[in-house]
Amino acid sequence: MKILRTLGVIAAGMMALSVANAAQAETRVTLKSAKAASSYYQMAAQFAEAMKTGTDGDIIVTVEESQGSVQNVMEAMVRPGNYVFTSPPGLVSLAQNGKGPFDGRPTEKFAEVRALFPIPSLTMHFVMRADSGATSFADLEGKTILLGKGSFGAREGEKYLQLFGLEGKVDLADAELSNAVAALKNGQIDGFVTAGSWPAPNVIEAAAGTDVIVLSLSEDQLAETKRDKTVIPAGTYNGQEEDITTASLSVVAFATTQMDADTAYALTKTFWEQKAKMGESSSWWNGVSPEMLANITGKMHPGALRYYDEVGFSIRDDQR
């Protein structure tokens, strides 16, 4: 009996040691994303699954809901270790310079933020019924446009109308963006404005049953917006015969210098290697390309740089 008890104790000890070793082998990462109902939260969940698959479970990513990018950046001051968050690069720049919502915050904490890789951008779409006759922004005068309320797309759309001399010259529909496709199909509006990763689901839905045109921005108009340039390839939407040039707000996955180089390298490498597979189930990943690295301001994480140098992606000196 004593021998059996001894063997039992040894077996239990070996099992506990095995579990402990497995736990030590796992690298755990926290990803602060967006509101649970948003597309960016869905992207974070897809990335977490891809990371688990691509590393055979060596890296486990836990996704946390967020109220927005400002909160994500704020928490970079206090979150230890493997903290990853998504944000437009411009917001990180504001934090590092103590401006905007970060006025009065200790900038030295934000100085430790480093970029990993781009994720799908918030891309502007000005969607018009083909029979409205509008093929450029100048043609929007007198048209009825739905901007929505309170969203990034609504604010940007209103800003662009002001920039392009259309303030007060366009009839703005008093409705939520969720009603845009139905209103467009019913002829209640001539067009709507939406921002999101492309291909945008509501634009796909609109183009599926109605002849639509997505307006392109000229180079001068693009410069006025002070946003990044995005080209949506021909054929992305039903009936789209030419590329669409539009403005976008880049969104990037960031970490801090508290993350070690090997972990940052593994996250970055696995992201790019799993991107095509993620794109098979969610096409917004197909819009992410190495060229989008040029839109990242500030420094890259040394671990990410190691990967980019290995594969030959172009990185500027000021990003190193």
Side-chain angles (χ1 to χ4, degrees):
M1 291 296 291
K2 286 184 178 179
I3 292 174
L4 289 176
R5 283 199 299 269
T6 301
L7 289 174
V9 170
I10 292 172
M14 290 179 67
M15 185 177 295
L17 182 62
S18 175
V19 171
N21 287 337
Q24 288 176 354
E26 287 179 356
T27 298
R28 294 196 168 270
V29 174
T30 299
L31 173 55
K32 195 78 173 181
S33 180
K35 293 181 179 180
S38 71
S39 60
Y40 280 90
Y41 190 88
Q42 294 177 46
M43 291 177 202
Q46 291 166 355
F47 170 73
E49 185 60 32
M51 198 57 52
K52 182 179 180 181
T53 301
T55 65
D56 294 325
D58 288 343
I59 296 181
I60 302 298
V61 177
T62 300
V63 179
E64 288 186 357
E65 185 179 10
S66 163
Q67 295 306 303
S69 296
V70 172
Q71 179 187 354
N72 295 356
V73 179
M74 284 288 191
E75 291 195 16
M77 291 193 305
V78 296
R79 297 293 287 264
N82 296 328
Y83 174 64
V84 176
F85 64 95
T86 58
S87 171
L91 201 59
V92 172
S93 296
L94 286 177
Q96 292 174 336
N97 289 284
K99 296 181 178 178
F102 309 97
D103 184 24
R105 303 283 179 172
T107 57
E108 64 272 11
K109 291 289 187 180
F110 299 120
E112 298 175 2
V113 173
R114 296 291 184 271
L116 296 175
F117 47 81
I119 65 173
S121 301
L122 281 166
T123 303
M124 294 298 294
H125 293 71
F126 282 79
V127 186
M128 303 299 298
R129 286 180 63 101
D131 60 12
S132 72
T135 59
S136 70
F137 282 90
D139 299 326
L140 296 185
E141 186 170 348
K143 300 294 189 293
T144 300
I145 306 295
L146 195 157
L147 294 180
K149 300 175 182 179
S151 66
F152 169 80
R155 293 191 298 272
E156 283 287 288
E158 186 176 8
K159 182 180 84 172
Y160 292 8
L161 293 179
Q162 294 172 352
L163 289 174
F164 305 155
L166 291 164
E167 186 176 14
K169 299 178 181 178
V170 172
D171 295 325
L172 299 179
D174 184 18
E176 297 289 346
L177 186 61
S178 57
N179 299 318
V181 174
L184 188 82
K185 290 178 180 292
N186 295 335
Q188 295 171 293
I189 59 174
D190 296 303
F192 66 90
V193 180
T194 186
S197 54
W198 65 267
N202 53 355
V203 181
I204 292 174
E205 185 182 355
T210 310
D211 290 335
V212 302
I213 294 174
V214 180
L215 302 185
S216 276
L217 277 68
S218 68
E219 291 297 329
D220 288 342
Q221 289 171 333
L222 188 61
E224 286 186 78
T225 68
K226 294 183 171 58
R227 296 299 189 193
D228 299 318
K229 178 180 179 178
T230 291
V231 177
I232 302 174
T236 299
Y237 299 114
N238 186 44
Q240 180 199 342
E241 298 179 354
E242 299 179 350
D243 291 350
I244 299 164
T245 300
T246 187
S248 64
L249 180 66
S250 293
V251 184
V252 171
F254 290 94
T256 72
T257 55
Q258 291 191 50
M259 176 180 286
D260 65 71
D262 288 344
T263 300
Y265 172 85
L267 286 171
T268 305
K269 181 176 188 290
T270 306
F271 167 76
W272 289 103
E273 290 180 347
Q274 292 290 312
K275 188 181 77 69
K277 186 175 180 181
M278 290 191 288
E280 291 175 3
S281 57
S282 296
S283 55
W284 49 44
W285 294 109
N286 298 329
V288 178
S289 68
E291 287 73 24
M292 293 170 68
L293 292 167
N295 296 331
I296 298 177
T297 55
K299 303 294 184 183
M300 298 273 194
H301 196 288
L305 285 173
R306 187 204 308 172
Y307 174 74
Y308 294 137
D309 288 340
E310 280 183 4
V311 295
F313 288 178
S314 179
I315 302 295
R316 300 189 307 272
D317 288 343
D318 64 283
Q319 293 174 314
R320 295 183 178 274

